[in-house]
Structures are given as structure tokens and as C-alpha cells.
Amino acid sequence: MDFYFLKKIQKKPAGKTAIPVKLNYHDEFKKISDEIMTNGKAYENLGELTKGIGPRFSATPAMQKQ
């Protein structure tokens, strides 16, 4: 198997060195978390499913309730 194509892609330009970049996603995750906590409907939906609809196991008579 010839890996010439992969070697060619991985080759660095002559005379240039790569600058390491430290990635910090804390701010982005904070924005997403804040948006979910203020405008998310997951907990509201979960409350409706658990309190309003209740447990409904498959293949039981309760599953057929509307």
C-alpha cells in the first residue's frame, strides 16, 4: 500500500514552524449552558412526562392510555 498521498499532506512548509494553540472552550460551553438553563424546555418536558403522563411500560395496558 502506498502512503505517498498521506505523507505529502503531512509535510510542513520549508522554513515555517507550527505554533501550538491552546484551545479553551470554557466560554463557549458557559454560553450554551446558560442558554439551556434560561430558555431550555427539557426540565419542563420531563416534569410533564413524569407527573402528567406517568410511567408507561411497553406491552402493558398503561401504554395504551391517552
Side-chain angles (χ1 to χ4, degrees):
M1 188 179 281
D2 188 10
F3 293 102
Y4 174 76
F5 180 74
L6 293 175
K7 289 179 185 177
K8 189 174 183 180
I9 290 175
Q10 295 173 353
K11 195 173 184 181
K12 293 180 183 177
K16 294 185 179 180
T17 58
I19 300 171
V21 177
K22 183 179 179 183
L23 301 175
N24 184 357
Y25 295 111
H26 180 266
D27 295 335
E28 288 78 12
F29 284 125
K30 176 87 169 100
K31 288 177 193 175
I32 293 170
S33 175
D34 290 345
E35 176 66 23
I36 290 169
M37 296 307 280
T38 57
N39 298 318
K41 301 288 183 197
Y43 283 111
E44 187 178 312
N45 291 341
L46 180 61
E48 180 182 341
L49 289 171
T50 56
K51 294 178 183 173
I53 296 176
R56 298 195 183 180
F57 296 108
S58 60
T60 65
M63 185 183 83
Q64 301 299 327
K65 289 198 297 189
Q66 293 292 329

